[in-house]
Amino acid sequence: MTAITNRYDFVLLFDVTNGNPNGDPDAGNMARLDPETNQGLVTDVCIKRKVRNFVELTQDDQQGYAIYMQEKAVLNNFNKKAYEALGLEPDTKTKKLPKDADKAKALTKFMCDHFFDVRTFGAVMTTEVNTGQVRGAVQLAFARSIDPIVPLEISITRMAVTNEKDADKERTMGRKHIIPYGLYEMHGFISAPLAERTGFSENDLEIFWQALEQMFEHDRSAARGEMTTRKLVIFKHESKLGNAPAHQLFERVKVERKEGVESTRAYTDYNITVDHAGKPEGVEIIERL
Amino acid sequence: MARKRVILKVWGDNACFTRPEMKVERVSYDVMTPSAARGIIEAIHWKPAIRYVIERIHVLNPIQFENIRRNEVGSKLATTSISKAQKTGNLAEAVTFIDEDRQQRAATVLRQVVYVIEASFEMTKQAGADDNLNKHFETFKRRAQKGQCFQQPCLGNREFPAYFEWIDQVADIPKSSLPELDRNKDLGYMLWDIDYKNKHQARFFRARLEDGVLNVPPFGETLQ
């Protein structure tokens, strides 16, 4: 497992049709939006959850591809495993890492070796059974929709009731929040020096790209509607530290509404162009989708 | 010894420089803290041989906030239940289910921020024979101009990436679009940085915007 030796920046485009990509707990689960521009938002942690779920689903039982932040996971048991594997007693009094730096390193390394998401996104493992803190190689920003979104509230009825006392009502009403269509753009960064520390390898990277491409295929639900990864543009830098500023690379991906389209309802309403012309030296542009 | 100065423009969609007194439901300071500025600069180039001193932070955009509420993992496990589990050997005592440990936390974050950081740096005791200010200055400049970094710097939290640009001299710093009202403002006590040499003690200073610029005092003028 050798770590990656290139810096990557990437742009991910995904869309949602008649669904709710990421509900806002503050707004009764309506799709998140930027109050000033009415652009939709999807948080970084929402996408990370989907990546974790995908990896858990596809890399089932592969050595080194366990997921630490599982739904229904027992964090401290994982940490305990690390201690047991190294024959150490956790110091429950101080809750600090073992004083011996080598032991502390060994514990953190154990976590990185066994858990994909610790290598990728990092984890704060300062639980009672302390295995240290890890900064992951991958950094995601919030995804933002290209155009303002129109949140709709759909009322639905159910031909049944929950409580006996409501039996004479015959049916109950419910609500769904959807947006008719939204195309979202997300930016991400992968740092080679940090990958070196966590052991994030080429194989991990490939699995991560796959996860971004296919994560929505395994995340169907009544609330989501149809979500699809539409495009993944990767900027691969020749060097560890990078060969060009990230913001300049991201500007090469242009998403524009087609002429004459008043309100967007499909991916075909947009023109997507990736400008390959005069790209900075040492940067490779890979269009995976 | 002549001080080498680095000037860096940084910007991003959102930022959250969390106030230490409002950490659970995060509330950001109005402007970037010196410690966050140092973090950004160190993400581009840092060696144990150098120490950055943040001198000035220029605020170029109006100060605006927005709210974000997210699901986060909640508490940590109590020590007692672990030691109990150790005694009984029953791991079920030491269990944390993420699903049952959800917390929805709001964050009041800044939006559309643009700053210019002015910093100088000095050598530390760990400087070797071939370390000198000029070398590190040139390395930093080369990296900042090319957009190279150790990791993409961030504006307080990693989900808010910071984009950066090298600025050659003070005269090139863009004009601030801060409204008149905010140009000269007392921001109250603000975190200066964490004193790592001294039991990770937090140091504070009285932050004032003077014509859109936050002048950062030296360590000696900060408070515990």
Side-chain angles (χ1 to χ4, degrees), chain A residues 62-100:
Chain A
Q62 265 239 64
Q63 181 71 19
Y65 286 90
I67 294 291
Y68 174 76
M69 281 282 168
Q70 287 179 26
E71 295 169 346
K72 291 264 180 286
V74 185
L75 296 184
N76 280 327
N77 284 3
F78 289 145
N79 293 0
K80 258 204 156 55
K81 263 192 200 156
Y83 274 91
E84 280 163 11
L86 296 159
L88 296 173
E89 270 295 305
D91 183 351
T92 49
K93 281 219 173 50
T94 58
K95 304 177 197 168
K96 287 212 169 72
L97 271 174
K99 284 238 167 13
D100 182 339

Side-chain angles (χ1 to χ4, degrees), chain B residues 19 28-32 57 59 61-65 110 115 176 178-190 205-216:
Chain B
R19 290 173 181 269
S28 175
Y29 278 117
D30 288 16
V31 303
M32 179 192 276
I57 297 171
V59 184
N61 254 22
I63 298 164
Q64 314 166 50
F65 288 95
L110 293 162
Y115 301 107
S176 165
L178 261 185
E180 276 308 314
L181 272 176
D182 286 348
R183 279 186 175 275
N184 296 293
K185 198 174 168 185
D186 190 337
L187 300 170
Y189 286 104
M190 185 189 229
F205 72 106
R206 187 82 196 197
R208 278 179 223 285
L209 279 181
E210 290 155 20
D211 199 26
V213 180
L214 180 71
N215 287 299
V216 181

Side-chain angles (χ1 to χ4, degrees), chain A residues 9 50 70-71 129 141 160 179 203 228:
Chain A
D9 300 313
K50 295 191 189 346
Q70 287 179 26
E71 295 169 346
V129 190
I179 56 175
N203 190 35
T228 315

